[in-house]
Amino acid sequence: MGKPDTRARIQGAAAMLFRRHGYSATGLKRIAAEADAPFGSIYHFFPGGKQQLAEHMIRTSGTEYGRLVLALLDSVPDPAESLVHAFEAAADDLAAADYADACPIGTVALEVASSNEVLRIATAKVFEEWVGAATEWFGHWVTEPKTAQSLAYSMVMMLEGAFMLSRAARDPEPLRVAGRSMAELLRTAIARAGEN
């Protein structure tokens, strides 16, 4: 099997480097070297340079990551256990990557929220997409729309916060605790819905 085309290699290298090092610390020369691509090819595919490449990476990686989380949630029949499973998988993946590869959006979002409006909007749209998809997923178990949305926000916030704590501590336990906490939140919401 041949290596991916130049554009795909550039996108993959950029996603990995932005995720690990952030937007400011990642230069185009480093992306080109990591992608094994001529430097000029970045501008061929992304005439707007680093910002356009980062915006593209945020949108595509965000969508892919959202699908991955939903697939993990759908892989276990019990909804509370599926939350524990998804957070456990995230903890295992982060530890296996030596705490370098966390959420593809969170690293950039924290960095650009007050300094780059184009990228802030791109990250905000991804988070909105995730909350919408998670609200729909929780809606299978909790019929009250506001409760489903609240659970969705909680899941995204716990995941992002736990990634940050796990990376800083170099310990997967915050992700595992967050998964158990989300499972308990869902069980409580389902029990309350049953009482009503």
Side-chain angles (χ1 to χ4, degrees):
M1 186 168 151
K3 65 182 178 181
D5 67 39
T6 303
R7 181 184 172 100
R9 292 197 318 274
I10 290 169
Q11 290 172 189
M16 183 269 294
L17 291 168
F18 288 141
R19 184 173 64 243
R20 289 184 174 190
H21 306 292
Y23 178 73
S24 297
T26 300
L28 290 179
K29 287 182 181 175
R30 188 168 183 188
I31 292 169
E34 187 71 35
D36 190 25
F39 180 78
S41 62
I42 293 176
Y43 285 99
H44 172 75
F45 295 113
F46 301 96
K50 183 176 168 181
Q51 179 175 278
Q52 184 185 5
L53 177 56
E55 182 182 19
H56 178 78
M57 181 281 303
I58 289 164
R59 293 182 192 282
T60 57
S61 294
T63 299
E64 289 169 14
Y65 191 72
R67 284 188 195 126
L68 171 68
V69 170
L70 287 174
L72 282 169
L73 291 174
D74 287 338
S75 70
V76 176
D78 178 83
E81 288 305 313
S82 73
L83 286 163
V84 171
H85 170 69
F87 277 79
E88 288 279 343
D92 292 344
D93 288 348
L94 185 62
D98 198 27
Y99 300 92
D101 286 333
C103 170
I105 307 307
T107 304
V108 175
L110 284 171
E111 183 183 357
V112 302
S114 61
S115 61
N116 186 313
E117 188 65 4
V118 170
L119 299 184
R120 182 200 67 75
I121 290 169
T123 58
K125 285 185 178 176
V126 168
F127 285 132
E128 183 181 331
E129 182 182 303
W130 289 355
V131 169
T135 298
E136 186 177 325
W137 185 83
F138 282 110
H140 294 131
W141 319 108
V142 179
T143 55
E144 216 301 299
K146 287 208 177 284
T147 303
Q149 185 181 52
S150 177
L151 287 164
Y153 274 121
S154 295
M155 184 180 77
V156 172
M157 291 183 297
M158 282 195 198
L159 185 60
E160 293 302 326
F163 269 133
M164 202 179 327
L165 289 172
S166 287
R167 286 183 86 182
R170 297 182 66 77
D171 182 356
E173 190 60 16
L175 279 159
R176 299 186 200 290
V177 170
R180 293 191 298 268
S181 297
M182 270 312 305
E184 192 54 39
L185 281 175
L186 179 57
R187 286 186 188 108
T188 300
I190 290 170
R192 283 188 185 149
E195 290 169 4
N196 298 332

